[in-house]
Amino acid sequence: MPPPAPAPAPQPPGRRPQTTAAISGLVTASLALLMVATTFTAHLVYRDYYTCTKDALTTSAKKDCDSLLPHQLRDLMGTP
């Protein structure tokens, strides 16, 4: 006759590991989707700037595209 199976260990009080992992996964996925949505929105809003810089044939023409950006973003995204 085989020995009886050991009883499962009692669960500690609080959340189970699966719940914690699931919440972590949801938070990470939400942050990733937020980053993608932000990037897509920025590209959509500043589409004229991106098109202008892409179509510019000279550096001076590319610098003229900076007028399509708000003043706060010209130092960050503008042509050096």
Side-chain angles (χ1 to χ4, degrees):
M1 176 177 238
Q11 289 288 333
R15 293 195 168 141
R16 297 185 311 189
Q18 296 91 352
T19 306
T20 305
I23 291 172
S24 299
L26 288 173
V27 169
T28 303
S30 298
L31 288 174
L33 287 173
L34 181 66
M35 287 175 52
V36 169
T38 302
T39 303
F40 179 75
T41 302
H43 192 73
L44 188 65
V45 169
Y46 299 115
R47 181 183 348 182
D48 293 338
Y49 170 75
Y50 289 120
T51 302
C52 180
T53 57
K54 187 172 143 184
D55 293 343
L57 298 176
T58 63
T59 305
S60 61
K62 212 178 250 193
K63 287 182 182 181
D64 289 339
C65 295
D66 288 350
S67 64
L68 298 171
L69 290 172
H71 292 287
Q72 298 86 355
L73 294 178
R74 289 183 184 172
D75 292 334
L76 182 66
M77 294 175 56
T79 305

